[in-house]
Amino acid sequence: MPFWELQRQLGIDVDRWLLRQSTAQPYGKAAACHAFEREWVECGHGLGQTRARRECQPEYEDFMECMHRTKLVRAAGRGTILEQRDKMIKEGKYTPPDHHKGKEEPRP
């Protein structure tokens, strides 16, 4: 396609502008949700928009959860994480570190 060839010749990379996590990152490390975005893009590649929305919905939901942390915020708001921690402490399966108990090491 001549349009895309022109972009390559000019050094323009459309994919980097369209994808949030694929741009150059500081220190050359991949972004936190890069893997989820990559799975979503690979799933929808070559399917067409309508079919990709239907077939790649789980990958898209995983990517959005990684980006926005909605499930984690909902669980923290309900206190389920803290309740689960307290339950594990009572059962003896988890021992919190000393600095979580308020027993910090003496500082110089």
Side-chain angles (χ1 to χ4, degrees):
M1 193 184 307
F3 178 69
W4 297 109
E5 186 66 27
L6 175 66
Q7 288 186 357
R8 190 179 64 78
Q9 289 174 357
L10 294 174
I12 300 170
D13 188 3
V14 175
D15 290 338
R16 287 179 65 177
W17 292 347
L18 294 174
L19 302 177
R20 302 181 83 178
Q21 303 292 316
S22 298
T23 59
Q25 299 293 320
Y27 307 110
K29 295 186 178 186
C33 301
H34 175 73
F36 290 106
E37 183 183 32
R38 187 177 179 127
E39 287 178 10
W40 173 53
V41 170
E42 287 177 357
C43 174
H45 180 73
L47 292 179
Q49 184 177 11
T50 306
R51 188 171 160 206
R53 282 188 184 179
R54 190 174 54 245
E55 293 183 16
C56 301
Q57 189 64 29
E59 287 85 356
Y60 180 72
E61 289 175 359
D62 290 342
F63 175 51
M64 286 295 114
E65 163 58 23
C66 182
M67 292 289 290
H68 303 296
R69 307 281 188 209
T70 52
K71 292 178 187 175
L72 180 66
V73 170
R74 250 186 278 136
R78 290 190 305 242
T80 54
I81 295 173
L82 296 176
E83 290 170 3
Q84 185 177 10
R85 183 198 66 179
D86 293 340
K87 179 182 171 188
M88 289 175 67
I89 290 172
K90 287 179 184 177
E91 293 173 354
K93 295 181 180 178
Y94 173 73
T95 305
D98 288 338
H99 63 274
H100 285 199
K101 297 177 187 176
K103 302 175 185 176
E104 295 187 30
E105 295 179 10
R107 297 185 180 183

